[in-house]
Amino acid sequence: MSGPVSTDDAAPEAANDPPAGPEVELIPGREAQVGSLTVRRVLPRRPRRTVGAWCFLDHMGPVEVSGANSPDIGPHPHMGLQTVTWLLAGELVHRDSLGSEQPIRPGQLNLMTAGHGVVHAEENTGGYRGPLQGAQLWVAQPGATRDGPPAFEHHGELPRLEFSGAEVTILVGDLAGTASPARRDTDHLGVDLVLRSPGATIPLRAEYEHALAVLEGVVTVGGQLARPGMLAYLGSGREECRLETTGPARALLIGGVPLGEQILMWWNFVARTREEVSTARQQWMDGDERFGPVDSDLARIPVGPPPWEV
Ligand code: MN
């Protein structure tokens, strides 16, 4: 369910506007095709390429999985990023070049660290039929780890917090003193919010920039209506944020210390230079050992050259 980034999402090397103070900027996402599935991509977008180190957010479904509509994504490489996979409904199986084979179900977290290079496939589990909904996010790795070894973690249970009007599951980072066990190479936060009327006040860190991606329902933030398919960028400098709902709603809240360096994103790679991307792309197409085999029946996904080579 991880989608490649294209120039329809954002120019590979454009910089963010610097975060202002607290603000609410509604940024429309776009529909993108990931295998047979249509997803709502809300990050990266041209006006907002990163939120902290978060650099990608696809919202998949809800869709009915059947034999004809199966969310199979064949083996493809990553580098320089972590994939964070989170389901609201359904199940998937993750297979990677480290030898991992891991089913994931709602409430569980798959976290793959690509580092210098990894390959994974994301597949429907054999018999699963029914609704599927989830999100996949990417976190840009910092210089200290982005060329390091790949790794994979599965967390079957994650810490939860109860606020008035919200059940919070902490995917990555810490909120109000409760921390996720998931690996974190930069100072960032990702939480799932199950909201009920009339809404909740969530404590935030002033040094973080934050954004909200609504997955179900409608959430009013700063007087603006945030719905699925858009990113509500919240800026920085907030000690808390009031999220209002008139009915049940579900959202992901992401945040982090603004990324201090410019990244280059193309296809399934996060890098710093065009040469890094060109080299990785060629190695993938050549079957170089940098991107090892995955035990999957699906075909490897090829890719043509990046725009600066054509
Ligand atoms: Mn992927």
Side-chain angles (χ1 to χ4, degrees), residues 166-179:
E167 290 168 38
V168 182
T169 305
I170 304 173
L171 281 57
V172 184
D174 68 276
L175 184 72
T178 300

Side-chain angles (χ1 to χ4, degrees), residues 2 48 85 92 127 136 138 142 155 198 227 275:
S2 66
R48 190 55 57 189
T85 307
L92 293 170
Q136 187 171 82
W138 298 353
H155 298 279
R227 301 172 187 279
E275 290 68 28

Side-chain angles (χ1 to χ4, degrees), residues 2 76 78 83 120 122 136:
S2 66
H76 60 277
H78 287 288
T83 63
H120 73 153
E122 292 150 298
Q136 187 171 82

Side-chain angles (χ1 to χ4, degrees), residues 3-263:
V5 172
S6 78
T7 50
D8 291 336
D9 296 308
E13 293 155 306
N16 271 341
D17 294 335
E23 57 173 312
V24 177
E25 177 188 5
L26 286 183
I27 302 168
R30 74 173 182 101
E31 291 201 337
Q33 204 65 29
V34 177
S36 65
L37 294 178
T38 301
V39 300
R40 300 177 193 84
R41 180 159 304 154
V42 300
L43 196 70
R45 301 299 295 148
R46 284 193 175 84
R48 190 55 57 189
R49 295 171 43 76
T50 52
V51 177
W54 298 99
C55 60
F56 179 96
L57 200 172
D58 267 3
H59 174 203
M60 173 192 58
V63 66
E64 198 68 16
V65 174
S66 65
N69 185 17
S70 184
D72 290 326
I73 310 295
H76 60 277
H78 287 288
M79 72 169 177
L81 61 87
Q82 293 180 304
T83 63
V84 173
T85 307
W86 178 248
L87 296 183
L88 276 61
E91 54 187 67
L92 293 170
V93 174
H94 162 99
R95 291 188 171 86
D96 65 37
S97 51
L98 298 160
S100 315
E101 178 180 337
Q102 180 64 58
I104 180 171
R105 298 187 176 86
Q108 304 177 338
L109 181 75
N110 273 2
L111 176 68
M112 183 180 73
T113 300
H116 184 63
V118 75
V119 183
H120 73 153
E122 292 150 298
E123 305 175 12
N124 187 20
T125 52
Y128 182 74
R129 301 288 184 268
L132 180 71
Q133 182 176 195
Q136 187 171 82
L137 305 93
W138 298 353
V139 182
Q141 288 184 253
T145 63
R146 72 183 188 92
D147 207 32
F152 177 76
E153 297 177 1
H154 173 80
H155 298 279
E157 293 199 20
L158 292 166
R160 291 177 165 225
L161 291 172
E162 181 73 35
F163 293 110
S164 175
E167 290 168 38
V168 182
T169 305
I170 304 173
L171 281 57
V172 184
D174 68 276
L175 184 72
T178 300
S180 165
R183 172 173 164 175
R184 191 171 65 144
D185 292 1
T186 59
D187 192 357
H188 62 277
L189 167 75
V191 299
D192 176 277
L193 304 171
V194 177
L195 297 163
R196 55 186 180 270
S197 176
T201 299
I202 307 297
L204 300 178
R205 292 189 181 201
E207 69 272 27
Y208 280 13
E209 56 180 343
H210 292 90
L212 189 77
V214 176
L215 305 180
E216 293 177 333
V218 181
V219 177
T220 302
V221 54
Q224 303 206 56
L225 296 181
R227 301 172 187 279
M230 57 176 63
L231 187 77
Y233 178 71
L234 306 177
S236 59
R238 291 177 189 271
E239 302 284 349
E240 61 180 31
C241 185
R242 179 70 191 168
L243 304 173
E244 295 171 328
T245 61
T246 55
R250 191 85 180 256
L252 292 175
L253 175 72
I254 58 175
V257 173
L259 205 56
E261 53 184 326
Q262 184 170 312
I263 59 173

